[in-house]
Structures are given as structure tokens and as C-alpha cells.
């Protein structure tokens, strides 16, 4: 065997499928050897007592992006990717957001430019489709897909991004025709607007009322509706940031009878609750995200959905908005929940929370952790097997976890640019110590080891099945419709 550039030896290697005690050999950017014993490479890492895992993939994060409300996120592609890497993530798929009146082609070029000189780990993009005109549907989306952007997010809420059901069907139809995956933010906009208006008229503008306005029924209704639209055309959809028991059960039921419904949840729905929004003044704005934080029973339902496979992917939905006039509190202490940027930061805390509360507390196996944090993202979004696993020929994207390190969260530990963490004071056990990306050591000894701009854009392939056995099932009504409308 040629001399290995890097070896990681004596660790416990876990993939989504199995856990083994073995050594890993890396040459250049790739894993080239996996064996019980390998000779030390030019650089040798002793991973005794550590888990050696595929680097995480975070397929839902908002980086250097203008929100639907027109608010710029605090993290650019440098701070966002550095923060991701310190949390054990080696690939991110943030959004290139198309706003009404702008073209997809210009949007994509713009986001490439933002990321190219700053990202320290690899990245792709999903598109947010704000305005599905004929030109966008028939020319610009197919071109973006050919350029490796094989997934789009659509919104059922937010005034500037909300699509009507008719428009959602148009987007689903393009996804079917061109081989892309549609991600959906499922909340009923009219319910939320109506409740919010009446709350604010009565002086209930404090952050905790954000949770009241975004009632779980608004999420449940929209979830049910997008499932019906998806089944009508037999087009897979992935429902993002699921927060409530009812939406989870609706998704589970649809999956059980064979509908191609996939789902994502996020760390905030596991360890935070609506009580976090109930702070003096406008402080609770730091915990306002959509869908909102719910209660302990909802947390349990989300954990159950992670364990039983209702959720395929666990993402951060990192939405980093500063607690100042630029984002969370545009009118200072007079700001109502309707005026606050929605979202919580969490790109760095995503995997440590799942490891600590999932694996170490016995709710998930280490293999489920890998599947939910990396492998299923790679399969779902056309990155597998280059990313999301440890196998010969895969990119050497690896996170070495020490399960014994326990830390109390303090914002000074974070590497993002937000200025606060919603997990302040929480205690989590198990942290990534060394992180590699394409064979380069990115994080070691608490320090960043790579240059800004050294991450690469990854051209993604077509979305694939999560499980090897999973095949597209076509509902009866869809089959009939397809034979009539091609
Ligand atoms: O509140 C959230 N989730 N903000 C980020 C934007 C989105 O809808 O995912
Ligand atoms: Zn969303
Ligand atoms: Zn989001």
C-alpha cells in the first residue's frame, strides 16, 4: 500500500449501517483504506475512546441570506461554515433565495459569489422559489437543476413568499419532470395572520404570543394539504422543521400507506419549549422561530418520530438574526412578534444536542445519529456516496467525537456571528474534537486549521431514496392523472 497521508486509528467507526473497531486510511481527499489495522500515515490520529463518524451534513440553514421579510442573516459563508465545522458538520446546504421580481439565474450566480471566497467546508444550495413564473418554471429551474441545485423550498406562509395551492402544484410538477425534491414550509398563512391581527389589536404583541399565533393547527392543516397535493401528482415532498405531534402523526400516517412524504425536524424542537419565549420585555424574541417552540409533550412526539423513522433528516434551520434593530427588535422594546425576524441559531449545536440527548441518553443508536445527521441528507439530496458515509472512495469528511466531554453552553464557545445562543446555560455531553473535510484537518485542538474560501461547491445529483429498498410508489389517483396529463 502507498504511504497514507492521514490515518485515524483505534477508534470506533460508525456509519448509518454498522459500528466497527477499525482504522481509516486517507490519501489526498479520499478514504482509501478501512481495515482492522493500518500502518500509521504521514499524519496519524489516535482515536482511542472516540467515535469516528461521517462529517455531519446540515441540509437546512440560512447563511448570508435575505429572509422573506427582507432581513439579512448575521452569518456570512465564513462565520456560518466555521460554526458548522466546530459542531461536527462538514457539508451544508443553505438556500439561494429568489425574491419576487428577481430571476433564479441571477440569484444563483449571486449566492455562488457570496460563498466562493468564504466557505471553509463544502456546500451546495437549495433554491427558495418566491415567484414561480412560467419562465422560472420552464427555463430557469431546469437550468439550476442541471447546475447541481436539485432541491427547492417553497412556503405556504410569509406574505412575500407564500405560494397558492395552484402554484405549489406547478412547482411539484416541475420537480417531477426534472428530477428535483421539493421542501415545504407547512403552516396555514391565513390562520396565523388572523390570530396575529386579533392578538396585536388587543395589545398582545410580546414574543410569547408568537407561539399563540402559530397554532399547531396551522401546521397540521398545511401539512395535511401539502401531503394531498403531493399525492395528487405522486411527487415526493420533504416537510421541513416539523414541530408538533399532530403534524408528525399526519406525516406518519401518509408514510404508512406508501405516500412519498419525507420529514425533517430540528434541535430547537427537542430541548426548548414555548416557555423560553416568555421572558421580560422583548428578550423572548431570541426564541421566536416558525413553526414555534411548543411543549414537553411535543418534544416527546418529535423524539418518537426520530426513533421510529418518521423523520429522515435532522437539520439546524440555523436562522441567525441579531438581537438588535437590524433583525429581532426593529422597534426596540416596542417591537411586536409580527415584526421580529423569525428563526433561531443552531448550526454548531445541532449535532452535539442530538448526540448528548439522543445517543447518550439511549433514545437513538449511534447509527441512527449518523443517519439523521449525515447519511440521509446525502441520500435525499443527491450527495451519496461521496458524502455522508465512511467508505472507500468517499470524501474524507470525518468528525472524531469524544463522548466524555461535558460542557455548559456559553455563547463565548460559539463561532457564529449572532451574538447569543438559545441554548445558553444548557449542559451537553459529547463533542467533536477533530473534524476533517476532504482529508484536510479543519478543526483540531479548538482551533480552525483551514483558510477562508477553501470549501467547494458540490454539484448535487438527483435526489435518491433514503433506504436502498425504497422505490417510488404511485398512488392510484396520480397514476390516472399522469396518463391524462403528461
Ligand atoms: O423561523 C424560521 N424557521 N426561520 C427561518 C426561515 C424558515 O422558514 O425556515
Ligand atoms: Zn421554513
Ligand atoms: Zn429555515
Amino acid at each position: 500500500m502507498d504511504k497514507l497521508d492521514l490515518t485515524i486509528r483505534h477508534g470506533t467507526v460508525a456509519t448509518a449501517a454498522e459500528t466497527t473497531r477499525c482504522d481509516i486510511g486517507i490519501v489526498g481527499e479520499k478514504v482509501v483504506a478501512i481495515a482492522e489495522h493500518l500502518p500509521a500515515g504521514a499524519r496519524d490520529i489516535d482515536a482511542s475512546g472516540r467515535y469516528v463518524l461521517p462529517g455531519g451534513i446540515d441540509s437546512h440553514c440560512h447563511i448570508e441570506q435575505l429572509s422573506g421579510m427582507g432581513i439579512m442573516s448575521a452569518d456570512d459563508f465564513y462565520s456560518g461554515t466555521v460554526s458548522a465545522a466546530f459542531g461536527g458538520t462538514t457539508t451544508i446546504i443553505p438556500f439561494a433565495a429568489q425574491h419576487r421580481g428577481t430571476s433564479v439565474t441571477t440569484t444563483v450566480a449571486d449566492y455562488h459569489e457570496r460563498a466562493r471566497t468564504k466557505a471553509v467546508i463544502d456546500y451546495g444550495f437549495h433554491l427558495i422559489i418566491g415567484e414561480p413564473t412560467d419562465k422560472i418554471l420552464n427555463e430557469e429551474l431546469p437550468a439550476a437543476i442541471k447546475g447541481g441545485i436539485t432541491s427547492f423550498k417553497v412556503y405556504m406562509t410569509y406574505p412575500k413568499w407564500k405560494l397558492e395551492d395552484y402554484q405549489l402544484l406547478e412547482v411539484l410538477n416541475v420537480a417531477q419532470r426534472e428530477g428535483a425534491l421539493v421542501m415545504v414550509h407547512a403552516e396555514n398563512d391565513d390562520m396565523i395572520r388572523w390570530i396575529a391581527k386579533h392578538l396585536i389589536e388587543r395589545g398582545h404583541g410580546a414574543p410569547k404570543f408568537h407561539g399563540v399565533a402559530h397554532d399547531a393547527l396551522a401546521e397540521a392543516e398545511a401539512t395535511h394539504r401539502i401531503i394531498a397535493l403531493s399525492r395528487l401528482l405522486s411527487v415526493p415532498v420533504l416537510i421541513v422543521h416539523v414541530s408538533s405531534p399532530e403534524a408528525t402523526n399526519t406525516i406518519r400516517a401518509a408514510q404508512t400507506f406508501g405516500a412519498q412524504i419525507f420529514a425533517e425536524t430540528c434541535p430547537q424542537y427537542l430541548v426548548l419549549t414555548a416557555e423560553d419565549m416568555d421572558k421580560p420585555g422583548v428578550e423572548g424574541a431570541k426564541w421566536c422561530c416558525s413553526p414555534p417552540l411548543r411543549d414537553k409533550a411535543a418534544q416527546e412526539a418529535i423524539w418518537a418520530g426520530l426513533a421510529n423513522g418518521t423523520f429522515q433528516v435532522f437539520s439546524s434551520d440555523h436562522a441567525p438574526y441579531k438581537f438588535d434593530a437590524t433583525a429581532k427588535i426593529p422597534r426596540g422594546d416596542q417591537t411586536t412578534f409580527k415584526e421580529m425576524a423569525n428563526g433561531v441559531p443552531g448550526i454548531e449545536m445541532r449535532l452535539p444536542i442530538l448526540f448528548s440527548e439522543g445517543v447518550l441518553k439511549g433514545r437513538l443508536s449511534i447509527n441512527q445519529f449518523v443517519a439523521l445527521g449525515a447519511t440521509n441528507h446525502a441520500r435525499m439530496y443527491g450527495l451519496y456516496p461521496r458524502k455522508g458515509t465512511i467508505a472507500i472512495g468517499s470524501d474524507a469528511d470525518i468528525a472524531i467525537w469524544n463522548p466524555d466531554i461535558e460542557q455548559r453552553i456559553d455563547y463565548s464557545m460559539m463561532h457564529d456571528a449572532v451574538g447569543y445562543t438559545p441554548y445558553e446555560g444548557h449542559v451537553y455531553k459529547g463533542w467533536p474534537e477533530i473534524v476533517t473535510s476532504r482529508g484536510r484537518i479543519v478543526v483540531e485542538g479548538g482551533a480552525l486549521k483551514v483558510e477562508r474560501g477553501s470549501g467547494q461547491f458540490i454539484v448535487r445529483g438527483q435526489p435518491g431514496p433514503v433506504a436502498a429498498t425504497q422505490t417510488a410508489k404511485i398512488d392510484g389517483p396520480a397514476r390516472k392523472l399522469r396518463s391524462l396529463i403528461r
Side-chain angles (χ1 to χ4, degrees):
M1 184 185 302
D2 287 346
K3 182 83 177 154
L4 298 165
D5 294 333
L6 174 63
T7 42
I8 302 171
R9 300 192 302 158
H10 318 305
T12 300
V13 177
T15 64
E18 60 186 352
T19 308
T20 17
R21 255 284 311 107
C22 60
D23 297 346
I24 296 171
I26 295 160
V27 172
E29 299 190 346
K30 301 285 182 189
V31 173
V32 297
I34 301 176
E36 203 175 340
H37 298 291
L38 287 171
R43 166 80 207 270
D44 182 43
I45 296 172
D46 179 4
S48 306
R50 311 286 192 270
Y51 279 111
V52 179
L53 307 180
I57 301 175
D58 192 344
S59 58
H60 187 157
C61 47
H62 302 269
I63 308 290
E64 211 168 328
Q65 185 217 301
L66 269 189
S67 76
M69 292 165 80
I71 299 167
M72 182 47 94
S73 56
D75 281 310
D76 66 8
F77 276 88
Y78 181 71
S79 59
T81 54
V82 170
S83 186
F86 275 90
T89 291
T90 52
T91 305
I92 60 166
I93 316 179
F95 298 92
Q98 184 245 344
H99 291 259
R100 291 177 189 163
T102 57
S103 86
V104 161
T105 313
T106 315
T107 302
V108 169
D110 187 21
Y111 278 81
H112 273 299
E113 208 37 46
R114 293 177 197 200
R116 196 176 52 79
T117 54
K118 299 181 202 128
V120 302
I121 55 171
D122 293 349
Y123 59 93
F125 298 119
H126 315 282
L127 266 169
I128 287 173
I129 304 176
E131 188 180 35
T133 60
D134 284 351
K135 184 169 170 14
I136 285 174
L137 289 169
N138 297 318
E139 295 171 29
E140 298 194 4
L141 284 182
I145 293 166
K146 284 194 183 69
I149 301 178
T150 52
S151 43
F152 337 125
K153 182 175 177 189
V154 288
Y155 285 79
M156 298 170 83
T157 187
Y158 292 135
K160 297 214 170 120
W161 271 344
K162 177 193 162 202
L163 301 189
E164 303 299 333
D165 293 354
Y166 187 93
Q167 295 174 303
L168 293 169
L169 285 169
E170 292 282 42
V171 172
L172 289 173
N173 196 35
V174 171
Q176 169 100 335
R177 196 179 67 214
E178 306 290 335
L181 180 64
V182 179
M183 307 156 76
V184 185
H185 180 133
E187 286 188 290
N188 179 309
D189 190 59
D190 286 339
M191 285 186 189
I192 295 167
R193 266 196 310 134
W194 191 89
I195 305 171
K197 174 176 179 288
H198 288 273
L199 285 171
I200 285 172
E201 276 173 5
R202 286 159 182 77
H204 301 314
K208 67 178 175 187
F209 293 106
H210 172 79
V212 180
H214 289 248
D215 193 276
L217 273 173
E219 186 182 9
E221 187 284 325
T223 300
H224 186 270
R225 184 155 38 100
I226 192 63
I227 290 173
L229 298 179
S230 147
R231 290 185 57 211
L232 185 70
L233 303 187
S234 200
V235 182
V237 296
L238 188 145
I239 301 170
V240 295
H241 46 47
V242 176
S243 70
S244 69
E246 192 166 336
T248 307
N249 291 341
T250 302
I251 291 163
R252 181 88 180 147
Q255 292 167 342
T256 308
F257 59 73
Q260 294 286 290
I261 306 299
F262 302 101
E264 170 203 88
T265 192
C266 316
Q268 52 270 34
Y269 303 120
L270 297 179
V271 297
L272 302 173
T273 68
E275 281 180 20
D276 287 297
M277 287 183 276
D278 191 5
K279 300 257 183 333
V282 287
E283 180 78 12
K286 294 175 183 169
W287 285 266
C288 286
C289 57
S290 298
L293 306 174
R294 306 217 185 262
D295 58 15
K296 290 272 176 207
Q299 290 182 347
E300 287 314 310
I302 300 295
W303 276 116
L306 285 169
N308 69 23
T310 305
F311 299 111
Q312 291 72 40
V313 285
F314 184 75
S315 309
S316 66
D317 191 9
H318 180 71
Y321 295 112
K322 284 188 185 286
F323 187 67
D324 67 15
T326 64
K328 282 289 186 186
I329 46 167
R331 290 195 304 117
D333 59 10
Q334 297 304 301
T335 308
T336 67
F337 69 85
K338 272 314 262 183
E339 300 159 302
M340 294 166 183
N342 281 200
V344 293
I347 204 164
E348 193 162 341
M349 290 305 303
R350 172 184 74 116
L351 293 175
I353 289 173
L354 195 67
F355 190 92
S356 174
E357 305 308 288
V359 179
L360 295 186
K361 294 202 172 153
R363 291 171 165 127
L364 301 171
S365 70
I366 188 72
N367 312 98
Q368 286 175 305
F369 172 82
V370 171
L372 287 160
T375 316
N376 291 351
H377 302 251
R379 288 188 189 275
M380 191 75 78
Y381 292 112
L383 290 166
Y384 191 83
R386 177 171 175 189
K387 304 283 189 191
T389 193
I390 297 176
I392 290 175
S394 295
D395 281 359
D397 293 0
I398 292 172
I400 303 176
W401 285 72
N402 184 336
D404 299 322
I405 299 177
E406 187 170 81
Q407 304 202 78
R408 180 174 296 277
I409 308 306
D410 176 313
Y411 180 68
S412 65
M413 295 159 56
M414 299 291 114
H415 297 82
D416 60 45
V418 195
Y420 63 89
T421 166
Y423 306 105
E424 186 79 31
H426 290 216
V427 177
Y428 295 113
K429 192 169 178 190
W431 292 84
E433 285 180 321
I434 299 180
V435 178
T436 75
S437 157
R438 282 182 286 105
R440 309 165 303 141
I441 292 179
V442 178
V443 171
E444 186 177 21
L448 185 73
K449 300 286 181 185
V450 291
E451 293 300 310
R452 81 170 36 223
S454 57
Q456 287 181 358
F457 173 71
I458 307 289
V459 175
R460 291 185 290 123
Q462 291 213 336
V466 168
T469 53
Q470 199 176 309
T471 51
K473 296 194 184 87
I474 301 186
D475 275 356
R479 194 176 301 119
K480 193 157 166 216
L481 194 60
R482 283 276 151 212
S483 69
L484 296 168
I485 310 168
R486 297 226 164 253

